[in-house]
Every structure is written in structure tokens, then in C-alpha cells.
């Protein structure tokens, strides 16, 4: 399993396609990490920018609206899971959410879309994927949005942290899976250490039986490792993997991570055990040269002095 951070489609990035074409292409954004993504059995990304079906509605920070062709490039790169619960999810209102859901349903129904819903029924359904006989469940929640959110009667559209709801969905997910991965959009931007909010929720999630937490939103790396308590709970946590694609300018915001781990399922004498092993964060760099129209993250191991000089 591999996971990357926040896919933030700033202006230079969405303008890097040949916009004279009817369909824009963004495969170049992910070409240098495609091998690492596609080699994994499952790969996840936080899509920080909601999609819009009409190119005329595209916009950048502070209210994001990304072309749907970004999604095509994510699929080409090898991503299987798209996390959408974040503070920018309502930047384009209900239309942005429904456009995004329709796009994934019609263009790439095999992709697991997390965190947003077009019905109460979907909001109460746990997304699961099965690989090599291992059934993995996913939940995705945000601390809130940058505006009022979907509003009364449509609360189901965005998965927002609320303890009773989260506990209920965790219970439902664990009843029908081998492993539960929880995606959390939380914390303070540009803060290198987890906030009390993150730590309190992490403890709660561990006590509910979550196996792995993948965090985002601070836009820079935060610690990762294994949590445990005296009651026997244990959980792997990546507090923040930083950005993935962006044109932020600070050094910290351009250094990022690919969270990696292996899920091992063992069945012996009629008993099944699960082990989360080989956890690491592989360092990455977001590289861009606005004058040349070049935007693409690299694994740090592939990043040369020549590229850095640009």
C-alpha cells in the first residue's frame, strides 16, 4: 500500500496542459513517480481540489476548482483510491461535489471515491477493496470546510469528524473487512508536529480499532510511527504526508512523503491474523519551473542537483 499527500491544483499546474485541446492532458504531472505508484497493489491520494466539469469554472487558491482531466491522469499514474474529504471540498458548492461524484462514477467507476456522497445510502456505505484475498475498508473524514458546508438536510454529502458517527462507521467497517484504513484531514497548516486535536482523535481512532491512519492538511511532513496502549490497541499512523502536487514556495512545503506499508494476512489452523509491517515514508520533492511550464514531483532518490538548480 502506498499513499501520498495533498494534490493541490494551483493555477500554473492547471495551465500546464495544452488548453487549446478539447480534452486537456495532465499525465506529465505524475510521470516521474508513476512507477512507484503503479507498482503498489493499492495507492491512495488526497485530491485537495474539487473537480468541475466546465473548464470555465476552473480556479485556484483560495477556492479551488480543478479540471476533471486531473482525475484521468491520477488513474493513468496508478491510483486506486481518491480521498475527497477536506477543507476545500465545498469550494464550488454542491455542484462541485456532484460534478466530482458523476465524473468518477462515469469515467472511472473502479476507483474508490472517499469522503463525499450524493445520498444518505452512499454515506452509510463503507468503501472496500479486495486484493490478494485481503479485504481493506476505507473511511475519510475532515475537521470541517472553509465555508458553511453542505448545510442542514445535506450533511451526509461531506464526511466531517463527529465521534458518534465515526465510531458507528468504524464498527460497520470492521464487521466486513480484514483491515481498516482511516484518512484524516486535520491539524494546523505549516506545523511540523501534531496538534492536540490530531493526537486526541488519533487516540480515539486507535481505541475504536482502526489499523492505519493517513493524515493530511498541514501541507508539510509530520511524524509517523506506531501507537499503542495498555489495553492492547495498536495502530500505524502517518500524521501528515505533506503536499503531493502544488506550487507552494516554502522549502518545507516542497518536501513531502510517500507513506508505504505491507498488509500481511495469515490463516493457520482456522485462525486469521493480520500484520501491518514494513512501514516507512519515502521522501519526495515537488519540482516546478513556472517559466518552462514544468510541474512534477520526484522521489528524492531521483532528484538531481541539475533539477534543484532550476
Amino acid at each position: 500500500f502506498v499513499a501520498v499527500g495533498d494534490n493541490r491544483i494551483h493555477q500554473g499546474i492547471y495551465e500546464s496542459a495544452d488548453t487549446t485541446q478539447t480534452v486537456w492532458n495532465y499525465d506529465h504531472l505524475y510521470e516521474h513517480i508513476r512507477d512507484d505508484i503503479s507498482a503498489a497493489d493499492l495507492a491512495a491520494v488526497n485530491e485537495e481540489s474539487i473537480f468541475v466539469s466546465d473548464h470555465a469554472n476552473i480556479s485556484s487558491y483560495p477556492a479551488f476548482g480543478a479540471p476533471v482531466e486531473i482525475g484521468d491522469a491520477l488513474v493513468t499514474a496508478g491510483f486506486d483510491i481518491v480521498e475527497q474529504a477536506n477543507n476545500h471540498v465545498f469550494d464550488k458548492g454542491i455542484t462541485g461535489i456532484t460534478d466530482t461524484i458523476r465524473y468518477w462514477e462515469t469515467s472511472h467507476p473502479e476507483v474508490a471515491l472517499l469522503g463525499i456522497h450524493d445520498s444518505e445510502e452512499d454515506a452509510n456505505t463503507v468503501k472496500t477493496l479486495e486484493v490478494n484475498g485481503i479485504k481493506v475498508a476505507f473511511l475519510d473524514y475532515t475537521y470541517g470546510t472553509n465555508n458553511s458546508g453542505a448545510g442542514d438536510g445535506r450533511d451526509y454529502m461531506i464526511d466531517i469528524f463527529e465521534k458518534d458517527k465515526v465510531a458507528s462507521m468504524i464498527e460497520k467497517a470492521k464487521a466486513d473487512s480484514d483491515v481498516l484504513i482511516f484518512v484524516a484531514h486535520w491539524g494546523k497548516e505549516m506545523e511540523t508536529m501534531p496538534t492536540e486535536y490530531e493526537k486526541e482523535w488519533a487516540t480515539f481512532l486507535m481505541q475504536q480499532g482502526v489499523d492505519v491512519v493517513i493524515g493530511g492538511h498541514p501541507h508539510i511532513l509530520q511524524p509517523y510511527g506506531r501507537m499503542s496502549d495498555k489495553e492492547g490497541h495498536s495502530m500505524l499512523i502517518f500524521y501528515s504526508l505533506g503536499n503531493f502536487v502544488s506550487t507552494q514556495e516554502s522549502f518545507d512545503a516542497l518536501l513531502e512523503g510517500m507513506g508505504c506499508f505491507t498488509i500481511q494476512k495469515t490463516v493457520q489452523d482456522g485462525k486469521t491474523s493480520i500484520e501491518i509491517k514494513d512501514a516507512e515514508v519515502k521522501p519526495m520533492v515537488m519540482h516546478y519551473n513556472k517559466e518552462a511550464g514544468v510541474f512534477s514531483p520526484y522521489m528524492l532518490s531521483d532528484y538531481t542537483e541539475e533539477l534543484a538548480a532550476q
Side-chain angles (χ1 to χ4, degrees), residues 145-158:
T145 67
N146 288 355
N147 34 43
S148 60
D152 290 344
R154 297 190 178 184
D155 294 345
Y156 62 84
M157 296 190 80
I158 305 168

Side-chain angles (χ1 to χ4, degrees), residues 49-67:
S49 307
I50 199 75
F51 289 163
V52 294
S53 56
D54 184 349
H55 286 166
N57 291 332
I58 293 169
S59 59
S60 181
Y61 181 85
F64 287 102

Side-chain angles (χ1 to χ4, degrees), residues 43 123 140 153 164 175 180 190 222 293:
D140 178 22
D164 289 345
L180 172 56
M190 309 310 294
Q222 290 185 347

